[in-house]
Amino acid sequence: MHKIELKEEDGSMAIGVLTAGIFTVILVMYLFSSKEVKEAAGSMIWLVAIVAAIGWALIYDHYRSGMVFEEDGIRMVQAFGRNKYWAYADISEIIARKKMFMIYDANGRRIAVYGAHLEKHPEILQILEDKHVPVQMLDIHQKND
């Protein structure tokens, strides 16, 4: 079995691209502007630089983070924070909703929430079925092909 990586399906990537793009252009324009413009901008350029950095961080987070379904468990890779790992045997159930799914441990505690459409990934559902991890699909309307 090979690893299958699942990316979050949220708007953070689009927000990151817009924010980084717009504020990086403003920052470059500032750097190549005249002395008068630089004096007029004052300390506001720091705010522009910080917002541009946040946009680039959102882009980095999208590419670096993900949930990897491996042979013996699920690994959640985070760009900013600790990576987490759960063996399939330690997972009591997965509850999938329209735009996210939640993973529960043997004690019934929610140990992870992930923003992705699990029903769009039959290969992951097959892995979970093979590993005997119960999956509940709530509020999901699938089209019959």
Side-chain angles (χ1 to χ4, degrees):
M1 181 178 126
H2 58 281
K3 298 177 183 179
I4 299 175
E5 185 173 359
L6 184 63
K7 293 284 187 184
E8 276 198 291
E9 300 169 7
D10 59 0
S12 65
M13 177 65 174
I15 293 169
V17 168
L18 287 172
T19 304
I22 292 168
F23 286 93
T24 300
V25 167
I26 293 171
L27 189 60
V28 169
M29 288 172 52
Y30 168 82
L31 293 174
F32 292 106
S33 64
S34 66
K35 186 176 180 180
E36 295 81 24
V37 172
K38 288 181 181 178
E39 288 175 1
S43 62
M44 287 300 291
I45 198 62
W46 289 107
L47 179 63
V48 170
I50 290 169
V51 173
I54 290 170
W56 285 108
L58 286 171
I59 294 170
Y60 175 77
D61 180 59
H62 178 77
Y63 282 111
R64 183 74 174 93
S65 300
M67 188 166 281
V68 182
F69 292 81
E70 300 175 344
E71 178 67 35
D72 53 352
I74 301 172
R75 181 174 313 281
M76 190 156 88
V77 179
Q78 298 177 328
F80 304 106
R82 286 189 161 170
N83 297 342
K84 297 179 178 123
Y85 177 82
W86 305 283
Y88 290 118
D90 298 335
I91 298 172
S92 67
E93 72 176 332
I94 294 178
I95 297 177
R97 301 201 57 113
K98 287 181 184 176
K99 296 180 180 181
M100 65 173 196
F101 63 92
M102 299 163 283
I103 302 173
Y104 290 87
D105 66 5
N107 297 327
R109 291 181 306 170
R110 185 172 56 210
I111 53 177
V113 176
Y114 202 70
H117 296 267
L118 197 57
E119 74 277 4
K120 293 182 180 179
H121 302 279
E123 67 280 4
I124 293 174
L125 292 172
Q126 185 62 47
I127 292 170
L128 295 171
E129 183 179 322
D130 293 345
K131 300 297 180 180
H132 307 291
V133 176
V135 178
Q136 289 186 41
M137 304 293 240
L138 303 177
D139 302 333
I140 296 173
H141 304 291
Q142 294 183 350
K143 293 181 181 176
N144 294 331
D145 295 314

